């Protein structure tokens, strides 16, 4: 019939989002479709198909269309950047002016420096470094650990913290970022680093790159001078057959190349005294052997050393 509008085709032409202000000639049709349940309104003057009302991507396109200068933060920003599996229950939107609350969205008046923004799928999004810093107020640096594991420079995280001063939760964020200077790659590693620092144990490097039997390996914690490796074992990164096999081959290469290997689990971190006995016992024993070897070598190189001279 002439003049009949195909709603499905109309939605398809506009990426599933209809803005009433862009279709003033269809005002009565949009109202009729809405009342008939063929459209749902998810933001003022912003309509989508009922089947797409809970779809995160559609809701993000709706925000972008309705508020062109909006910036996406929080879980939705994580999903759009380095954490694609992130669950999004509510879309956090940074805006310049106050907005009426709407179910499924959280509007926050906040300005973010341009250097802390990135673009993803045509949307303005806070940078991964700032996402990690924001999250540090409640996740104890878990997202920062993800960045460290991907070899992001810590300086970018520190810059993101400096770029957003005066915020609630920054005291916690500063503490977490300071802890990150030892570059932990997991929550268990953070806890191990805390224990080593609290007991003033030095001479170690986190995530130390070494070569053993011709293969390059990252040690969770390495006492390089004593050739002692601490490996933090967790189910998160060791729960597949391939990971199991790789881990055992790696351990064998390290031992063959002269490394002493101690394995640390999350439960072992609960018993600090026992853990420290293991670590210090092995490190000190190897340190004594190294010093004794040096003394013997020095004795041999001294005049008369080969005859055991005084």
């Amino acid at each position: 019939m002439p003049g009949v509008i195909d709603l499905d085709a109309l939605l398809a032409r506009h990426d599933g989002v209809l803005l009433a202000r862009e279709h003033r000639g269809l005002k009565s049709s949009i109202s009729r479709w809405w009342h008939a349940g063929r459209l749902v309104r998810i933001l003022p003057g912003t309509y989508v198909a009922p089947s797409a009302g809970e779809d995160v991507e559609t809701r993000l396109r709706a925000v972008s269309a309705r508020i062109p200068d909006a910036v996406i933060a929080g879980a939705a920003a994580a999903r759009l950047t380095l954490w694609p599996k992130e669950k999004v229950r509510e879309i956090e939107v940074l805006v310049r002016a106050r907005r009426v609350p709407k179910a499924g969205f959280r509007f926050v008046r906040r300005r973010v420096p341009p250097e802390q923004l990135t673009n993803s799928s045509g949307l303005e999004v806070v940078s991964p470094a700032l996402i990690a810093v924001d999250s540090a107020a409640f996740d104890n640096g878990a997202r920062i650990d993800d960045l460290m594991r991907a070899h992001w420079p810590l300086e970018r995280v520190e810059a993101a913290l400096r770029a957003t001063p005066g915020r609630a939760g920054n005291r916690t964020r500063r503490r977490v970022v300071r802890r990150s200077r030892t570059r932990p790659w997991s929550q268990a590693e953070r806890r191990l680093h805390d224990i080593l620092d609290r007991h003033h144990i030095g001479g170690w490097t986190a995530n130390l790159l070494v070569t053993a039997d011709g293969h390059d390996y990252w040690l969770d914690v390495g006492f390089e001078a004593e050739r002692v490796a601490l490996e933090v074992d967790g189910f998160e990164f060791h729960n597949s057959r391939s990971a199991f096999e790789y881990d055992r081959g790696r351990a064998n290469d390290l031992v063959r190349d002269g490394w002493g290997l101690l394995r640390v689990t999350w439960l072992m971190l609960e018993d600090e005294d026992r853990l420290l006995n293991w670590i210090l016992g092995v490190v000190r024993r190897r340190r004594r052997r190294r010093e004794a070897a040096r003394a013997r070598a020095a004795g041999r190189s001294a005049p008369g050393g080969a005859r055991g001279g005084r």
Side-chain angles (χ1 to χ4, degrees):
M1 184 172 65
V4 174
I5 300 170
D6 185 335
L7 176 58
D8 292 335
L10 183 64
L11 283 168
R13 287 200 300 273
H14 295 278
D15 288 330
V17 177
L18 290 183
L19 287 183
R21 68 190 181 201
E22 293 180 354
H23 300 279
R24 298 188 187 281
L26 297 176
K27 182 177 179 180
S28 60
S29 296
I30 291 174
S31 178
R32 185 173 65 255
W33 290 328
W34 176 53
H35 283 291
R38 297 188 64 194
L39 289 175
V40 293
R41 184 168 58 203
I42 60 174
L43 288 169
T46 310
Y47 299 84
V48 302
S51 60
E54 298 300 320
D55 178 65
V56 173
E57 282 68 27
T58 301
R59 294 169 75 83
L60 285 167
R61 288 197 297 274
V63 168
S64 179
R66 183 71 179 82
I67 314 171
D69 62 352
V71 173
I72 306 302
R79 178 165 170 161
L80 287 167
T81 54
L82 298 185
W83 297 273
K85 295 182 179 180
E86 183 72 13
K87 292 182 179 179
V88 180
R89 295 180 178 85
E90 183 180 65
I91 296 175
E92 183 176 334
V93 187
L94 308 186
V95 292
R96 297 183 179 182
R98 190 177 300 279
R99 294 271 173 177
V100 175
K102 193 68 177 174
F105 298 89
R106 185 162 76 94
F107 297 107
V108 180
R109 291 183 65 184
R110 175 184 170 194
R111 289 178 179 268
V112 175
E115 65 272 16
Q116 293 300 329
L117 297 176
T118 188
N119 191 282
S120 177
S121 303
L123 295 165
E124 199 90 275
V125 180
V126 299
S127 70
L130 185 52
I131 293 169
V133 166
D134 285 350
S135 302
F138 55 83
D139 76 351
N140 195 39
R143 289 204 194 281
I144 297 177
D145 296 344
D146 292 340
L147 296 185
M148 296 298 96
R149 202 159 51 247
H151 305 296
W152 274 56
L154 181 62
E155 291 74 18
R156 293 172 70 175
V157 174
E158 293 173 327
L161 179 61
R162 289 194 302 271
T164 52
R167 298 177 58 211
N170 267 5
R171 182 176 180 180
T172 298
R173 293 186 183 97
R174 282 193 293 272
R175 175 184 58 76
V176 171
V177 170
R178 279 197 301 270
R179 171 72 280 162
S180 303
R181 288 173 184 168
T182 53
R183 289 169 170 74
W185 288 3
S186 69
Q187 292 294 289
E189 288 184 31
R190 279 181 180 272
R191 188 161 185 178
L192 175 59
H193 298 180
D194 279 336
I195 292 170
L196 295 174
D197 282 351
R198 190 163 58 250
H199 292 275
H200 309 290
I201 298 172
W204 57 274
T205 302
N207 295 298
L208 176 67
L209 180 62
V210 301
T211 301
D213 201 30
H215 298 93
D216 289 339
Y217 296 119
W218 294 93
L219 306 182
D220 293 342
V221 168
F223 291 82
E224 193 167 12
E226 292 79 16
R227 296 179 75 77
V228 174
L230 309 183
E231 290 299 283
V232 182
D233 290 335
F235 289 116
E236 183 179 0
F237 303 113
H238 303 83
N239 61 357
S240 69
R241 167 60 64 180
S242 59
F244 178 86
E245 293 294 337
Y246 171 82
D247 218 36
R248 271 59 188 174
R250 177 177 180 274
N252 291 344
D253 283 343
L254 289 168
V255 171
R256 183 179 184 277
D257 210 45
W259 285 87
L261 188 61
L262 290 175
R263 311 198 79 103
V264 180
T265 67
W266 184 267
L267 286 177
M268 290 175 186
L269 295 169
E270 302 282 349
D271 190 345
E272 290 189 20
D273 290 340
R274 191 180 187 200
L275 178 63
L276 291 170
N277 279 337
W278 286 332
I279 295 171
L280 293 176
V282 174
V283 169
R284 287 170 177 167
R285 188 181 310 120
R286 284 182 164 247
R287 189 171 294 162
R288 286 194 297 268
R289 289 177 183 171
R290 186 189 63 185
E291 290 169 354
R294 284 180 177 173
R296 287 194 299 272
R300 285 194 297 269
S301 64
R307 297 186 300 275
R310 296 176 184 177

